[in-house]
Amino acid sequence: MRIGVQLPEVEREVRWPEVAAIARAAEESGFDSIWVGDHLLYRGGGRPERGPHDAWTQLAALAVLTKRVRLGPLVAATAFHSPGVIARMAASIDEVSGGRFTLGLGAGWNETEFKAFNFPFDHTVSRFEESFEIVRLLLAGEHVTFEGEFHSAHDAVLLPPPHRTVPIMLGSNGARMLGIALPHVDAWNTWFSSYGNTVEGFANLRGDIDGACVKAGRDPADLTHSACVLVQVGEGSGARPSDVSPVAAKDLPSHLRLLAEAGADEAILVLDPIDERSTRQVANAIVDLL
């Protein structure tokens, strides 16, 4: 099993020097990958307004800062950029990183940020479907002409040409989203709340995803299955409230082994708290798995 870690997102205000320090700690500690959330604004829930720095500019900086770890958005909302721009950014970051980039994609879900920044919140899956088609064909090095209801391209091509086809990861469990993307993506990811943050919950969801793969004409074994795991380090910070129970850091080695047996090829850890100290502490707790 590959093990990655998410960098700070909405837990608290984190400036770039600390983000960079956590990323360095993750790479030095042996994690396989680092991920950043693609969000613009959170409001409500009795908490102050909050939001992370721009995912794409952070990823470009992280591509230079790091040397070994894979990196990507967890996951990028196709609604926030035109498909051609998404493909160009992905190919550029993959080039800068030396082929360590994975393009995580989803439709987006947080209506607050859509409205605040004037992005349409209607027909989100249909908009994703058109954007996804253009993005994947451009990343495959094709000239793309496409005329849809929401997106279009006219003999578009990525130049300089990508040095490889950038792998794409779908971040969704929705039936329509799975039907659209599973025939084409390299990986699938689920957030911890979507399966209850338990091994049994993931095993049940993995069965559903396998069925969706078969329906889409895809061998489930060809897909990388990725699960986010909420982990409490020490007493935790309470900065990421959740309706599921976190996994205690001391229980993480056995939890990850069982998760692998349940069909997870990759675990992406969402730590509470998310800081440099907790990153190194958790790495030490699972050192035999890294």
Side-chain angles (χ1 to χ4, degrees), residues 114-214:
F114 277 72
K115 288 186 173 180
F117 287 87
N118 197 32
F119 292 112
F121 196 65
D122 63 305
H123 305 289
T124 54
V125 176
S126 296
R127 292 177 187 275
F128 171 87
E129 182 173 20
E130 293 185 5
S131 180
F132 178 77
E133 180 73 3
I134 295 170
V135 169
R136 73 173 187 86
L137 292 176
L138 285 172
L139 289 177
E142 298 188 23
H143 283 250
V144 180
T145 295
F146 179 92
E147 194 65 49
E149 182 179 356
F150 306 106
H151 297 288
S152 61
H154 306 282
D155 197 24
V157 64
L158 297 185
L159 297 174
H163 74 281
R164 67 165 188 157
T165 300
V166 176
I168 300 176
M169 179 176 76
L170 173 68
S172 177
N173 301 323
R176 279 189 65 198
M177 293 284 286
L178 293 169
I180 291 163
L182 283 182
H184 308 288
V185 296
D186 303 275
W188 158 83
N189 172 266
T190 185
W191 192 243
F192 56 79
S193 58
S194 296
Y195 68 95
N197 209 44
T198 67
V199 172
E200 181 182 12
F202 178 80
N204 291 335
L205 181 56
R206 167 69 201 261
D208 293 341
I209 299 303
D210 286 355
C213 279
V214 173

Side-chain angles (χ1 to χ4, degrees), residues 172-271:
S172 177
N173 301 323
R176 279 189 65 198
M177 293 284 286
L178 293 169
I180 291 163
L182 283 182
H184 308 288
V185 296
D186 303 275
W188 158 83
N189 172 266
T190 185
W191 192 243
F192 56 79
S193 58
S194 296
Y195 68 95
N197 209 44
T198 67
V199 172
E200 181 182 12
F202 178 80
N204 291 335
L205 181 56
R206 167 69 201 261
D208 293 341
I209 299 303
D210 286 355
C213 279
V214 173
K215 186 177 180 180
R218 185 79 181 273
D219 184 348
D222 292 339
L223 195 70
T224 295
H225 298 80
S226 171
C228 294
V229 180
L230 179 61
V231 181
Q232 180 174 309
V233 186
E235 297 298 318
S237 68
R240 185 183 274 279
S242 175
D243 57 358
V244 301
S245 298
V247 177
K250 65 180 178 62
D251 299 324
L252 190 56
S254 59
H255 181 86
L256 292 177
R257 290 188 179 96
L258 291 172
L259 202 61
E261 292 177 8
D265 305 298
E266 176 179 55
I268 300 175
L269 308 183
V270 182
L271 307 181

